[in-house]
Amino acid sequence: MTHTPAGYTLLDGPPTVPEYVSLRRETGLSPKNEEQARAGIDGAWAAVRVRHDATGATVGMGRVIGDGGWYFHVIDMAVLPEHQGQGIGSAVLQHLLDRIRRDAPPGAYVSLMADRPGQPLYAKHGFEDPSPRTIGMTLNLDDSAGGSESRG
């Protein structure tokens, strides 16, 4: 059972497209346009958002993408800076992990990419750095540069 901090409500389902774009921008995640946001939201296996009860504003979110069988990847973990440090991110992550445990077949593999500020949160929930056995690798296809470049 997920415990959401007092004054907040965790809701199943993604934020709206404008909320998604705003949350990414205001939390320092790479910016996405509305077309990307819509496609991403529609492609999620699971998504949650957190509402600030006093204002009705969406202040946090998290999503899972995956094949529904064994592979799941946690993405878009974001909480507005003025609402951080209250356990919102932990509640979002726990809810998503509970959903995987409940709805995925046994043996699910859950991964994520952890920026430095999020690493303590993920470690608290059992995530470990798999290196040197495995490393995370990324490829960012950047149309504005006329090709691709790797960023890690």
Side-chain angles (χ1 to χ4, degrees):
M1 176 114 200
T2 304
H3 170 73
T4 306
Y8 298 91
T9 303
L10 191 143
L11 302 163
D12 276 311
T16 66
V17 168
E19 289 170 337
Y20 177 89
V21 170
S22 177
L23 278 167
R24 287 192 62 90
R25 182 184 64 249
E26 293 180 39
T27 60
L29 296 177
S30 59
K32 301 298 173 204
N33 63 40
E34 288 191 6
E35 180 182 3
Q36 292 168 313
R38 193 170 294 104
I41 287 169
D42 290 344
W45 183 83
V48 297
R49 64 194 182 283
V50 177
R51 182 184 65 218
H52 182 235
D53 295 337
T55 63
T58 297
V59 300
M61 67 176 175
R63 296 190 309 130
V64 173
I65 55 174
D67 60 16
W70 72 273
Y71 185 77
F72 301 87
H73 190 72
V74 177
I75 60 171
D76 288 338
M77 290 289 299
V79 176
L80 291 176
E82 60 270 25
H83 296 274
Q84 292 177 3
Q86 301 181 59
I88 295 169
S90 188
V92 167
L93 183 58
Q94 187 62 55
H95 186 82
L96 293 171
L97 293 173
D98 288 347
R99 168 85 188 273
I100 295 168
R101 286 184 184 101
R102 184 187 78 215
D103 295 342
Y109 178 83
V110 182
S111 64
L112 56 77
M113 297 294 289
D115 291 337
R116 191 163 310 281
Q119 291 173 6
L121 167 67
Y122 303 130
K124 182 176 111 176
H125 286 268
F127 286 87
E128 299 175 340
D129 179 355
S131 64
R133 179 181 48 83
T134 301
I135 62 167
M137 299 176 77
T138 64
L139 173 65
N140 182 13
L141 301 178
D142 184 0
D143 291 340
S144 66
S148 67
E149 71 182 58
S150 179
R151 296 181 193 167

